[in-house]
Amino acid sequence: MSPSPTGLSPEHEARIPLSVVIIAKDEELGIGRVLQRLDDFDQVVVVDSHSTDRTREIAESFGADVVLFAWDGTYPKKKQWSLEQRVLKHRWVLLLDADEYPAQALIDELRSLAPRLGDMTDFGAYDLTLLYKFAGRFLKNGHRVTKRSLVDRYACKFPEIGDLEAPGIREVEGHYQPQTSKKVGRLDNPICHDDQDPLSSWFERHNRYSDWEAYLNQHRSLKHEIALKRSWKGRMFDRVPFKPLLFFLYAYVLRLGFRDGRPGFDYAFALASYYWQIGIKTRELRDRTRGA
């Protein structure tokens, strides 16, 4: 076989010139399912918080570069720290959680986009939609989460917002987007969110997340700062009253969540309950402050 004009092997040359960064901790149940879907990318890096299970071993068996992270209680937190690592080969990074992988249509879209990113200097990031699996089923309707997951690591950065003392979310950035002074594009195809952990882990995570959100509600300036760094849907919903009821009606009725059957109801109800958790925890903190 004759060499390619670039001097690279045909296999290497065909790979998408992006670095995929996966944020991980104790993810042995699902990380293999993610990594086996990333062969099209030039580099895959797993940033692992010293997992106590087989996460690191599995990642290395798939040929991923593994970088160990230990949070020291200051900034940068884990995602921003990951974007600053010298091991990254490429300027543009697809940043994923350990239960996320690109749909095949997104891989094809990235293959077309990636070679042109170096010439598109007015863009600093791209937003993507999550195709969410809940109770064993990918949901085609209902609430949609948007994440700024494709970023120019030199032009897009997670902000330091002053939440180091907040409970619930510690080493990983909270529910806000990385920021860039450049344009933000949007890709057409989704990231698949395919959590292999039992549903009890979903409730455990959202119990912690609601602690963080309730803390923000008690610190108005911090809440306002974070609201500015959320998606437009997040900023809008942040202002509405009666969040549990309105969210359920929005997700299950207006966004046609009922078309996904029982999982569609369960997801809408679970997230509505999450907003109820935030509300009741906020009232508890307020009462404690008044009684102090």
Side-chain angles (χ1 to χ4, degrees):
M1 182 179 294
S2 60
S4 71
T6 63
L8 299 175
S9 68
E11 178 185 7
H12 186 84
E13 190 175 32
R15 288 181 177 171
I16 301 170
L18 294 173
S19 293
V20 180
V21 171
I22 299 173
I23 304 299
K25 182 178 182 180
D26 294 334
E27 296 285 354
E28 68 177 3
L29 289 181
I31 196 167
R33 290 169 59 89
V34 170
L35 292 169
Q36 69 184 3
R37 291 170 167 85
L38 300 177
D39 285 343
D40 291 277
F41 295 90
D42 184 49
Q43 183 185 31
V44 177
V45 178
V46 174
V47 179
D48 178 55
S49 296
H50 292 269
S51 293
T52 58
D53 63 5
R54 297 178 59 249
T55 296
R56 181 177 179 182
E57 177 184 341
I58 294 170
E60 290 174 340
S61 73
F62 278 91
D65 297 316
V66 177
V67 180
L68 297 180
F69 172 76
W71 191 47
D72 63 2
T74 64
Y75 293 111
K77 291 190 175 185
K78 190 174 183 179
K79 291 181 180 180
Q80 180 57 38
W81 185 90
S82 301
L83 295 176
E84 296 173 0
Q85 297 310 296
R86 293 182 178 180
V87 69
L88 297 179
K89 295 180 181 179
H90 299 284
R91 177 171 188 141
W92 281 86
V93 172
L94 181 64
L95 188 60
L96 302 174
D97 292 337
D99 52 11
E100 297 173 349
Y101 57 83
Q104 184 58 52
L106 177 57
I107 293 175
D108 296 338
E109 186 177 9
L110 290 170
R111 185 179 295 281
S112 297
L113 175 67
R116 297 183 283 118
L117 287 173
D119 299 324
M120 302 168 67
T121 56
D122 51 342
F123 281 86
Y126 286 82
D127 289 345
L128 295 95
T129 301
L130 291 190
L131 179 62
Y132 204 92
K133 179 184 279 189
F134 192 81
R137 177 173 176 176
F138 280 112
L139 305 177
K140 298 180 181 179
N141 305 282
H143 174 59
R144 282 287 184 267
V145 174
T146 299
K147 291 184 66 175
R148 192 159 297 163
S149 292
L150 180 62
V151 300
D152 176 347
R153 61 193 180 99
Y154 298 130
C156 190
K157 182 178 181 180
F158 284 90
E160 298 180 1
I161 59 171
D163 68 338
L164 295 176
E165 301 301 321
I169 299 176
R170 302 294 293 158
E171 68 173 28
V172 179
E173 288 81 353
H175 296 156
Y176 48 85
Q177 306 282 13
Q179 303 297 297
T180 179
S181 60
K182 296 185 176 183
K183 292 180 183 179
V184 176
R186 188 181 183 97
L187 299 186
D188 294 328
N189 296 289
I191 293 171
C192 299
H193 184 284
D194 187 6
D195 191 356
Q196 296 299 301
D197 291 330
L199 274 174
S200 58
S201 69
W202 188 96
F203 290 105
E204 290 169 2
R205 288 196 305 273
H206 283 74
N207 185 41
R208 298 195 308 272
Y209 298 163
S210 63
D211 289 340
W212 183 76
E213 296 279 4
Y215 178 91
L216 299 186
N217 287 338
Q218 290 298 101
H219 297 78
R220 304 303 297 181
S221 60
L222 177 58
K223 180 180 176 65
H224 176 71
E225 181 181 357
I226 290 176
L228 296 176
K229 296 170 177 60
R230 284 175 160 163
S231 67
W232 70 267
K233 289 187 294 184
R235 294 194 301 271
M236 181 179 67
F237 190 67
D238 213 32
R239 302 189 186 102
V240 302
F242 309 112
K243 283 185 176 62
L245 175 61
L246 289 179
F247 179 86
F248 180 82
L249 293 174
Y250 162 77
Y252 191 64
V253 180
L254 184 63
R255 297 288 299 177
L256 307 180
F258 61 87
R259 290 186 173 179
D260 287 312
R262 184 57 186 264
F265 172 85
D266 289 339
Y267 183 57
F269 188 82
L271 279 178
S273 300
Y274 169 62
Y275 289 111
W276 169 80
Q277 273 189 288
I278 295 170
I280 197 170
K281 288 180 178 182
T282 299
R283 291 191 294 273
E284 180 185 46
L285 289 174
R286 187 181 302 129
D287 291 343
R288 286 180 180 177
T289 301
R290 290 172 179 172

